[in-house]
Amino acid sequence: MSIELEDVLGDFPAVAAREARERWQRLREVLGEEVLAGLPVGTAGKLVQVLAWSEFVCQVLLRTPDLLAAGRFESWLEPIDPAAAAADIKAELQALDSEAELRRRLRQLRQQWLARIAVLDMLSLADHQATHAAISAVADACVAAALDWLHADMQKQYGQPRSASGEPVELVVLGLGKLGGEELNFSSDIDLIFAFAESGQTDGEREVENELYFTRLGRRLIQVLDDDTADGFVYRVDMRLRPFGDSGPLVMSFAGLEAYYQQHGREWERYAFVKARPIAGDLAAGESLLDDLRPFVYRRYLDYGVFEALRDIKASINREVVRKENQDHVKLGPGGIREAEFTVQLFQLVRGGREAALRQRNFLAALDGVVRSRCLPQDDAERLGDAYRFLRRLENRLQQRGDRQQHHLPQEQESQAILAWSLGFASTAALHECWDRHRAVVTELFEDTVLGPEEAAEDSVGKQLWQAPRDVATDSVSALGYRDVDRVTDTLMALRQELKQARPGTRGRGRVDELMPRLIEMAAATVEPDAALERMCRIVAAVARRTTYLALLAESTEALRQLARICAASDWITGLVSRHPVLLDELIDPRLFEGVPDRNALAAELSLALAEVPNDDLEAVMDVLREFQQTRVLRIAVADIGETLPIMQVSDALSAVAEVVIKAALDRAWSDLLSRHGKPLRDDGEPAKYLVVAYGKLGGFELGYGSDLDLVFMHDAGGESATTEGPRVVESSVFFLRLTQRLIHFLSTPTAAGILYEVDTRLRPSGKGGLLVTSLDAFEKYQRESAWTWEHQALLRSRAVAGSDSLAGRFDVVRQAVLVQPRDATELHSAVADMRQRMQAELKLPASHSDLKASRGGLLDIEFLAQYWVLRHAADYPELAMFPDTIRCLEGLDSCCCLPGVDVPLLVDAYRRIRREIHRQALQGRSSVVPDGVLADERAAVADIWEQIFTSA
C-alpha cells in the first residue's frame, strides 16, 4: 500500500510540508515511483518527516538508490550497536584493492552511516548518548580502517617498523576533543595526534627510520580522510593540537612527547588532553602513553592556577565571538557548549589528580564525577546536564540539514520554523525561549565556577588598608571592626616584610595583592577578627612562594570564608594548615562541615586514594597516608570547633582515623616484605600471624589532637625453626621485626608531607630493654610473672587495632585473664598510690597554674581511680575488664555496685568536662597547663574523692 503524501503532510506546518514535498518528488524522479511505493506506509511517513529538514539525508538516498529498495530502509529505524557498526565498516574496507577504492568507499560509508544516525535522531529513536556514541564509533572505524589499509600497503615497500630490540612498532592515533570523549557532533572536524612508541627502522627492502615511515603514513592518512573529492570528504582533520602546532613534526615518539609536555606543555594543552583517547593503531600502547602523560594533565595537587588559564582561553574565544558577531553561536557564544565544557573541565583540571571520579573523557560522565566529588550540587549538575543535552541536540540538528559545520540558526524565518518543528517545538518563539533558558543556566554556572570573585574596588577599605603605609593604615583598621589597631597594623606590616624576603615573584605578588584586600575584610567579619587576621597572614606567609595556594584562596570566596572562620576559632588548626598547605584544598569541599565519616567510610576513602599509587612508590604511599590523616583530622577539628560533635565522638573519630591509617600502613609494609621473603610460617608450618595492640589514648578510644601512639607488637611464629617460605628465607621472628620497623617507619618518618604519628613502644614487655616485637606466648608469660602493677593498669587501656583477627581474639583472652586475676588489695592500693605520687612529684608548673592532666584532681586522678577499682574488683566481676576506656569502666563499676559512697556520675561528668577543656586548649595551640581557676570546682571534687580513697585510707 503506497503512502498518500498529502495525508501525511496535512499534519506538517506549511513550510515543512513544502520542503518535504519537494525532496520526495526528487526521490520519485530519480529512484522511480515503484521504489517509494514499496515502502510500508509507516516507514514512508517517517521518511517524509526527515526529508522536511534534511537535505543531507535526501542526497545520500539519491546517490544510493538501493538503500530504499527491498526493505533496507526499515533497518535504519532500528537501534545502532556502535561496536557492530565499527566492525562492519572495517570488514568492508579491508577487502579493497586500491587507494582510490578506499577513498571512494570511505566517503560512501561515512555518509550512509551518518544519514542513518540522523534519521534515528530526528525521529527521536535514539537518545543523546546513543547518537554521539554512534557518530564517534563511525569516525573511529573510518580512521582505524584507513590506517590499517595504508599501513599494509606501505609495508609492501618498507616492511614492518621495529624497535632497536626488534619488537614491532605501530602508529598510535590519539583522538582529542569530542572524538576523544566519544561525543562527536554530526559534522565535526576530528582533532588528531600521531605518535609511536620507539625509534628504530623498518625491516623491508627499503629500510627507513621509524619516524620517516610514520610521517609518510600519517600524511597519507590525512589525505585519504581530508581530501574533498567528487564523493566529498570523510573528515576534516585538524593536527594543530600536536606539539608545537603546525610548525612541529607530524609524528613524535613517546619519549619526545613526554619531554615536550614536561618542558613546554601549556595549560590549554592540558585542557585538550582531558579527552584524549587512542582511536586507531596500537591502542594498548596509546593507553600506556596517556598513563605516562597523566601527571601533566592531572596534577597531584589541587591546581588553582588553571582558573586563570581557562579564563584566558575563554577571553580569546569571546574576542573572536565579538569580531564575528557570534553571540548566537551554539558552541562558542555566551551560554554555549564551550562554556558548559569549561565549567566541568575546570573541576577536572583542578581536582582530577586527586579525585579519580573526575578523570573522565565524556562530558556527562565527568559531570557525574563532579557530583560524586562534591564539586557541584546535584540540582546544579542536573540543570547543566539538561542544558548540555539540549545544546548538543540543537547543534546536531543544524548540521544534519546539509552536513556542514553549522552553529547558527538559519537566518530565514521559514527555515527556523522547520527547525523548531523538527525539534518538537510548537513555534520558533518556543525554541528561542527554551534555548535562552538553557543558556542562562550555563552562563550562571560558568560565571560562578570559572570567572571567580570580582576584584576589590579601588576604594574598598580592605584595599586601602593593604596598600597604605603604616601611618595611614591605622585609619582604616577601626572602620573594618578590628579591635587592636596596633596589633592589626603590626600584623600587616610584618607580612609585607616577610613577602619581600620570600620574593614570591611577579605572579605571586600579583596574587597576594589580589587576595589580601578580600582576606582583610573576611577576617574582620569573624567573631575574633584580630586573631583571625594574624593567623591568616601566617598562612599567606607560609605559601607566599607557592602560587597555586595563593590562587586557591584568591579564586575561591568559599575557601577564603572557611579559612577565616577556622582561623578565628583555632590556632592549632592554623598551625596545621601552615605546616601542610595541602589542607587548603579541603576548604572548598562541602564535606568539611558535614561531620565525620564512620570507620568503614574512612577505610574505603583511604583504600581508594592508595589505589592510585603504585605499590613500589614508597614516598607516594607515605604522602597519601599523611595527607589523608591530615585532611580527616582537619574535618574532625572543624566539627569540634563548630560544637557539632560531643567530646567522646571527637576522640572516637580521631581514634578511627588512626586505626584506618595503621591498618593501611601495615598492609603496604606486609605486602612489601612478602614479595621479598615470602609468607612467614610457624614452627608447625602453618602461616604465622601478626598483631598491633594500641595502649593509652588510642587503646582507650581517647585520642587527642597531636597525640602519640603507644603501640605493642606481637606474633605467633614460635621459635628459631620458624622461617619464611622464600624467595629470600629469613626466620619468621626476623620477618616480624622488619615488618614492625617498616610499620613504624611508615608512621613516624618525616617526609615533605610531615609525619603521621610519633610512635612510643616503651609499654612493651621489659620496656626499652625488651624485644620490639614479641610472641603472644612470651607476652602472656611476662604479664603473669614479671609485670608491675602499672603495666596492668596500662593493659586495661589496650586493644588490638590491626593485624590478624584470630590473633586479636587470643590477645583478648590473655588480656582478660591477666586483668581478672585475684590481687592483694593492700599491695594494689599501695602500688597505684605510689605511682601516682611519683608522677605528681615530677610535675613542675608556673605559679597559680595547674595541669588539667597531671595536677591533683585532673584527668590522671580519674583514670588511676578507675584502673585501681577495676583491678581490685575484676576477679569478682570479670565484665569490668572488658572495656579499655575510662568512662565505660566507671559506668561498669557503678552498675556492679562496687563503689558505695562514691559519686561515680560526678567523676564521669568531670572527666568529660576536663577532656573537653583539654581539647579546647589544644585547638588554640596551648598545653593542658591552665590558671588555677579553670574547672576548679570539678577538680576539687575529684581531688576529694582521691583523698577519700588513697590519702585517708
Side-chain angles (χ1 to χ4, degrees):
M1 179 179 177
S2 62
I3 184 176
E4 293 294 336
L5 183 61
E6 294 307 319
D7 290 345
V8 174
L9 297 179
D11 295 330
F12 288 30
V15 291
R18 188 179 66 231
E19 294 282 328
R21 187 182 295 109
E22 187 274 331
R23 292 185 180 112
W24 182 268
Q25 183 58 35
R26 275 193 283 147
L27 288 177
R28 178 184 288 117
E29 291 172 357
V30 173
L31 305 181
E33 177 67 35
E34 64 281 0
V35 171
L36 297 181
L39 293 173
V41 174
T43 301
K46 290 180 173 64
L47 175 59
V48 172
Q49 183 178 336
V50 170
L51 293 175
W53 173 251
S54 181
E55 174 65 19
F56 166 68
V57 173
C58 182
Q59 289 294 331
V60 171
L61 294 175
L62 287 171
R63 287 194 293 268
T64 320
D66 62 340
L67 291 177
L68 290 178
R72 288 187 62 190
F73 190 74
E74 281 78 62
S75 67
W76 280 32
L77 305 180
E78 298 171 359
I80 295 174
D81 178 349
D88 288 349
I89 293 170
K90 290 177 181 178
E92 184 160 350
L93 293 173
Q94 281 177 350
L96 301 178
D97 294 326
S98 69
E99 184 175 326
E101 287 184 83
L102 175 69
R103 286 169 172 255
R104 183 175 60 256
R105 195 66 187 126
L106 270 171
R107 284 152 178 77
Q108 292 172 348
L109 287 173
R110 180 258 181 192
Q111 291 167 6
Q112 290 168 20
W113 277 102
L114 285 189
R116 178 176 172 183
I117 294 167
V119 167
L120 290 171
D121 182 56
M122 283 189 279
L123 295 174
S124 298
L125 297 176
D127 61 14
H128 166 95
Q129 183 175 346
T131 296
H132 289 107
I135 296 173
S136 302
V138 169
D140 285 359
C142 288
V143 175
L147 176 66
D148 291 346
W149 194 97
L150 293 169
H151 179 45
D153 185 60
M154 287 182 60
Q155 283 183 288
K156 298 171 186 175
Q157 185 176 13
Y158 298 107
Q160 170 67 44
R162 296 188 179 276
S163 67
S165 62
E167 293 298 316
V169 180
E170 305 289 342
L171 187 68
V172 172
V173 180
L174 299 179
L176 284 75
K178 291 187 174 64
L179 176 58
E182 296 182 89
E183 53 198 7
L184 197 65
N185 49 293
F186 191 79
S187 185
S188 177
D189 295 353
I190 55 175
D191 298 295
L192 304 180
I193 288 179
F194 298 149
F196 61 97
E198 293 185 63
S199 298
Q201 60 185 25
T202 62
D203 61 5
E205 293 182 6
R206 291 185 56 188
E207 294 182 355
V208 295
E209 297 295 319
N210 287 353
E211 183 172 7
L212 177 58
Y213 177 91
F214 289 126
T215 298
R216 290 176 179 173
L217 177 58
R219 285 176 181 158
R220 286 186 68 184
L221 178 62
I222 292 169
Q223 291 168 355
V224 163
L225 296 173
D226 193 271
D227 285 354
D228 198 354
T229 71
D231 297 300
F233 61 91
V234 188
Y235 292 101
R236 294 172 290 269
V237 178
D238 191 336
M239 300 294 298
R240 291 175 296 175
L241 295 182
R242 70 185 189 269
F244 302 110
D246 285 339
S247 62
L250 186 67
V251 184
M252 288 185 74
S253 68
F254 286 8
L257 280 172
E258 291 175 37
Y260 168 83
Y261 290 115
Q262 183 176 1
Q263 298 171 20
H264 306 288
R266 290 158 289 181
E267 294 295 339
W268 68 261
E269 288 174 302
R270 292 178 58 205
Y271 165 81
F273 263 85
V274 165
K275 291 181 178 293
R277 177 174 62 90
I279 65 163
D282 190 337
L283 301 183
E287 290 290 2
S288 176
L289 171 64
L290 292 180
D291 284 343
D292 291 338
L293 293 179
R294 193 171 76 182
F296 163 70
V297 183
Y298 296 111
R299 307 285 164 81
R300 283 193 61 201
Y301 54 86
L302 297 196
D303 184 11
Y304 277 79
V306 78
F307 276 88
E308 188 174 354
L310 282 182
R311 283 201 289 268
D312 288 344
I313 296 172
K314 179 56 181 170
S316 175
I317 292 171
N318 287 349
R319 288 192 293 272
E320 190 70 8
V321 166
V322 171
R323 188 176 70 82
K324 294 185 176 181
E325 298 182 350
N326 277 342
Q327 292 298 310
D328 287 334
H329 197 283
V330 174
K331 179 179 179 182
L332 302 180
I337 294 167
R338 184 55 52 82
E339 284 189 359
E341 292 172 335
F342 274 0
T343 301
V344 170
Q345 286 164 344
L346 176 73
F347 293 118
Q348 291 184 274
L349 290 175
V350 171
R351 302 184 68 89
R354 297 178 61 184
E355 297 275 1
L358 292 169
R359 295 196 288 270
Q360 305 289 339
R361 292 160 175 154
N362 179 274
F363 175 90
L364 292 176
L367 183 59
D368 180 63
V370 165
V371 174
R372 287 190 283 131
S373 300
R374 312 296 289 275
C375 298
L376 271 182
Q378 178 76 42
D379 58 340
D380 283 347
E382 288 178 357
R383 292 193 300 140
L384 184 59
D386 290 343
Y388 180 79
R389 291 183 186 91
F390 169 82
L391 292 169
R392 296 302 311 277
R393 184 166 178 248
L394 176 59
E395 176 187 46
N396 279 334
R397 192 58 49 86
L398 289 171
Q399 297 177 2
Q400 286 161 356
R401 189 173 202 192
D403 192 19
R404 293 191 301 272
Q405 267 196 313
Q406 177 71 21
H407 287 94
H408 290 95
L409 266 63
Q411 294 183 351
E412 305 85 7
Q413 290 299 313
E414 289 186 349
S415 295
Q416 285 195 26
I418 303 173
L419 172 65
W421 169 80
S422 173
L423 288 166
F425 291 98
S427 65
T428 303
L431 167 61
H432 279 281
E433 180 183 350
C434 183
W435 186 14
D436 289 343
R437 185 172 68 253
H438 286 305
R439 282 198 292 189
V441 168
V442 173
T443 296
E444 171 198 337
L445 295 175
F446 172 77
E447 291 180 349
D448 286 350
T449 302
V450 180
L451 295 189
E454 295 182 5
E455 189 175 347
E458 288 295 330
D459 59 349
S460 74
V461 180
K463 200 159 194 174
Q464 293 172 12
L465 183 54
W466 175 240
Q467 294 178 343
R470 183 184 183 94
D471 56 343
V472 178
T474 56
D475 297 334
S476 303
V477 174
S478 298
L480 283 169
Y482 288 105
R483 298 161 188 166
D484 188 331
V485 172
D486 289 337
R487 178 183 180 184
V488 170
T489 51
D490 285 347
T491 295
L492 294 176
M493 297 305 134
L495 177 60
R496 289 186 191 179
Q497 189 60 37
E498 286 189 73
L499 291 173
K500 286 181 182 178
Q501 296 173 355
R503 296 180 179 178
T506 302
R507 188 176 181 186
R509 181 70 205 197
R511 284 291 193 189
V512 171
D513 288 338
E514 179 186 353
L515 165 65
M516 286 306 299
R518 295 173 50 246
L519 183 150
I520 290 167
E521 292 173 4
M522 286 281 189
T526 65
V527 293
E528 293 290 342
D530 298 34
L533 179 66
E534 185 175 352
R535 294 164 183 170
M536 292 175 82
C537 286
R538 278 165 47 196
I539 291 173
V540 171
V543 301
R545 300 190 68 178
R546 303 171 74 171
T547 56
T548 186
Y549 293 118
L550 294 174
L552 183 157
L553 296 173
E555 296 290 355
S556 174
T557 299
E558 187 61 24
L560 194 58
R561 181 179 294 112
Q562 306 288 36
L563 182 63
R565 173 182 172 183
I566 288 169
C567 287
S570 174
D571 188 70
W572 182 84
I573 299 180
T574 301
L576 183 68
V577 175
S578 297
R579 293 190 302 275
H580 309 295
V582 69
L583 295 177
L584 290 170
D585 304 339
E586 293 296 301
L587 300 179
I588 63 165
D589 191 334
R591 290 172 289 190
L592 183 62
F593 292 95
E594 288 185 359
V596 182
D598 62 23
R599 188 176 272 94
N600 290 336
L602 287 168
E605 290 173 1
L606 181 53
S607 177
L608 189 63
L610 286 170
E612 298 292 312
V613 182
N615 284 334
D616 58 355
D617 192 341
L618 176 62
E619 182 179 354
V621 169
M622 293 174 72
D623 284 348
V624 167
L625 290 172
R626 281 151 178 75
E627 290 175 12
F628 173 85
Q629 187 258 6
Q630 291 157 9
T631 56
R632 273 53 182 186
V633 169
L634 175 63
R635 290 185 190 176
I636 296 166
V638 168
D640 195 356
I641 64 176
E643 299 186 349
T644 60
L645 279 182
I647 180 60
M648 306 307 295
Q649 291 183 30
V650 170
S651 291
D652 284 349
L654 291 170
S655 300
V657 170
E659 287 179 55
V660 166
V661 167
I662 292 169
K663 288 177 181 176
L666 176 58
D667 286 346
R668 285 298 170 115
W670 180 277
S671 176
D672 185 39
L673 284 176
L674 209 63
S675 66
R676 298 183 187 186
H677 302 297
K679 190 181 300 180
L681 303 176
R682 298 190 319 221
D683 289 328
D684 60 5
E686 290 298 312
K689 298 178 179 63
Y690 180 78
L691 189 65
V692 181
V693 175
Y695 277 63
K697 291 185 177 65
L698 179 57
F701 297 100
E702 295 165 357
L703 209 62
Y705 301 109
S707 292
D708 296 350
L709 302 184
D710 295 297
L711 300 179
V712 172
F713 309 96
M714 304 176 195
H715 64 78
D716 69 347
E720 294 180 359
S721 62
T723 66
T724 63
E725 59 183 8
R728 292 167 56 188
V729 175
V730 296
E731 292 179 15
S732 295
S733 59
V734 172
F735 178 96
F736 288 123
L737 174 61
R738 293 177 181 176
L739 176 64
T740 302
Q741 291 169 333
R742 195 162 186 79
L743 175 58
I744 294 172
H745 177 79
F746 267 113
L747 297 174
S748 59
T749 299
T751 72
I755 70 168
L756 281 167
Y757 299 97
E758 295 286 358
V759 176
D760 191 334
T761 63
R762 290 174 296 178
L763 291 178
R764 67 186 186 267
S766 301
K768 289 183 178 179
L771 296 173
L772 182 61
V773 56
T774 186
S775 71
L776 180 58
D777 290 341
F779 175 84
E780 179 178 13
K781 186 175 189 299
Y782 176 85
Q783 290 291 338
R784 289 185 180 277
E785 299 177 4
S786 306
W788 297 84
T789 299
W790 68 263
E791 290 179 286
H792 288 176
Q793 288 179 250
L795 184 64
L796 179 62
R797 287 161 57 82
S798 69
R799 61 190 177 91
V801 293
S804 163
D805 289 340
S806 62
L807 197 57
R810 288 182 56 198
F811 167 77
D812 288 341
V813 172
V814 170
R815 175 185 176 276
Q816 185 76 3
V818 170
L819 293 176
V820 302
Q821 63 188 354
R823 301 172 192 274
D824 182 281
T826 302
E827 289 181 4
L828 175 64
H829 185 278
S830 176
V832 173
D834 287 349
M835 175 57 71
R836 183 70 184 95
Q837 183 59 38
R838 195 179 314 159
M839 298 170 68
Q840 185 78 19
E842 294 173 355
L843 194 60
K844 306 296 182 185
L845 296 170
S848 303
H849 281 69
S850 302
D851 189 331
L852 292 173
K853 293 180 181 177
S855 290
R856 181 61 65 222
L859 214 61
L860 285 178
D861 276 1
I862 303 174
E863 291 174 349
F864 269 56
L865 283 166
Q867 291 157 15
Y868 164 68
W869 286 325
V870 169
L871 292 177
R872 181 174 176 177
H873 296 287
D876 297 322
Y877 301 98
E879 64 270 23
L880 293 175
M882 291 175 57
F883 302 114
D885 57 295
T886 300
I887 285 184
R888 283 192 292 181
C889 285
L890 288 171
E891 290 173 343
L893 287 158
D894 196 31
S895 66
C896 291
C897 301
C898 296
L899 307 176
V902 176
D903 191 343
V904 174
L906 181 148
L907 287 173
V908 170
D909 184 61
Y911 192 74
R912 286 196 175 104
R913 288 174 182 270
I914 293 171
R915 282 187 56 203
R916 171 78 265 175
E917 185 59 31
I918 290 172
H919 275 267
R920 189 175 287 117
Q921 293 292 320
L923 286 172
Q924 292 304 327
R926 297 192 286 263
S927 73
S928 56
V929 176
V930 298
D932 285 339
V934 175
L935 295 178
D937 293 343
E938 288 85 348
R939 291 191 291 115
V942 173
D944 286 344
I945 296 176
W946 180 272
E947 179 80 13
Q948 172 190 338
I949 300 301
F950 284 104
T951 307
S952 302

